[in-house]
Amino acid sequence: MKEIKTENYKVVDTVTLTEKDTYEDFGASKKKLKKELKNIRKDLGDFQDTLYAHGKYGVLVCLQGMDTAGKDSLIREVFKDFNVRGVVVHSFKVPSTLERKHDYLWRHYIDLPERGKFSVFNRTHYENVLVTKVHPEYILGENLPNVESVDDIDDGFWERRYQQINDFERHIADNGTIIFKFFLHLSKEEQRHRLLRRIRLKQKNWKFSPGDLEERKLWNQYEACYEEALSKTSKEHAPWFVIPADNKKAARVIVASIMMEALKKYKDIEEPELDDEIKANLETFKQELEKETT
């Protein structure tokens, strides 16, 4: 199996998605990729245990991608070996009435990870510069001051949103949240195959919506919005990674590898030492328990 060079997927400048691969297999079989993921996710699970004991950092994993990009299955497979209480998944749908009474970042802020835990955002705060940019009429539902019509939503509006998101991520990073942002880069042809599969397989029918076809017609607009969002908001403290997503098994290995490689650099994350007095009396405590009769 070829070496996985995680830096190759990091966005460090202006990104053009048509220049990025959507398929990778590292010259490995599906069986080999599955085994590789199994090894990495065990290490991730062990790391989360230590993260919890250390209690000073939380980890936020953001997943974005076109419909059928494989976000749900990636979450299922990458986090399979975690303590179930150590990872919380949030799927953000259309904002509720309550959520619309707050600013657009509010519902994301309240679902940030606790110290010691991972939070996975399945779709994220970036929907507010993606789907709303393709459909600017959705912004009107936010009831914002000085926005009375779509004509009021100009380039300056979007630039301020990018800056607000950057400020939000800078703030949470400074306060102990480790941030990963993954764009699952799917080809339009692969999406067509996956949508057809949802129609052909009865057990997959529930996943299909005619609206998926309408959004598919806007592929080029979405791609342009992703390029701008990724380019303007990939920062060292909150980097974007473009993950080739046509091969789901390889995509999962890449995401897991990127996280594990980055998390290993946090040398201060380790299990806390026992209090000196407790440590000095461990033998006494052991003897006390061993003398108990059932």
Side-chain angles (χ1 to χ4, degrees), residues 50-200:
T50 304
L51 182 83
Y52 182 82
H54 183 248
K56 292 188 177 182
Y57 293 93
V59 179
L60 175 63
V61 180
C62 298
L63 299 177
Q64 284 287 159
M66 303 288 197
D67 291 330
T68 78
K71 297 182 292 296
D72 290 337
S73 61
L74 185 147
I75 293 168
R76 182 188 69 233
E77 296 300 324
V78 170
F79 297 96
K80 186 176 286 185
D81 289 340
F82 275 53
N83 182 316
V84 293
R85 294 191 298 175
V87 58
V88 183
V89 179
H90 304 278
S91 296
F92 293 99
K93 307 296 185 183
V94 176
S96 67
T97 300
L98 173 62
E99 289 167 345
R100 287 187 185 280
K101 290 184 180 293
H102 297 268
D103 71 275
Y104 68 94
L105 287 173
W106 177 78
R107 64 175 181 159
H108 305 286
Y109 194 92
I110 62 175
D111 283 332
L112 289 172
E114 300 173 22
R115 301 189 193 282
K117 293 188 178 183
F118 280 62
S119 282
V120 182
F121 284 4
N122 183 351
R123 297 189 183 278
T124 72
H125 44 295
Y126 283 93
E127 293 290 291
N128 297 283
V129 290
L130 294 167
V131 66
T132 54
K133 197 169 185 184
V134 175
H135 299 283
E137 65 275 13
Y138 293 172
I139 293 292
L140 302 181
E142 296 182 24
N143 201 29
L144 295 172
N146 304 315
V147 178
E148 303 298 331
S149 72
V150 171
D151 294 336
D152 296 322
I153 306 169
D154 56 12
D155 289 344
F157 176 90
W158 298 114
E159 287 299 324
R160 288 190 294 276
R161 284 228 156 163
Y162 293 132
Q163 188 57 52
Q164 289 160 4
I165 289 172
N166 284 331
D167 291 343
F168 165 67
E169 292 176 351
R170 177 77 268 179
H171 170 69
I172 64 175
D174 285 347
N175 284 276
T177 300
I178 301 169
I179 305 169
F180 295 99
K181 300 184 298 192
F182 299 106
F183 171 62
L184 303 186
H185 186 28
L186 185 73
S187 68
K188 193 173 183 181
E189 180 63 11
E190 179 61 23
Q191 188 196 60
R192 186 176 75 87
H193 287 301
R194 293 182 186 181
L195 287 171
L196 282 170
R197 186 169 181 265
R198 289 182 177 182
I199 294 172
R200 289 169 178 159

Side-chain angles (χ1 to χ4, degrees), residues 229-245:
L230 269 58
S231 299
K232 290 181 179 292
T233 63
S234 188
K235 307 296 180 181
E236 195 56 37
H237 61 275
W240 273 108
F241 295 89
V242 177
I243 309 299

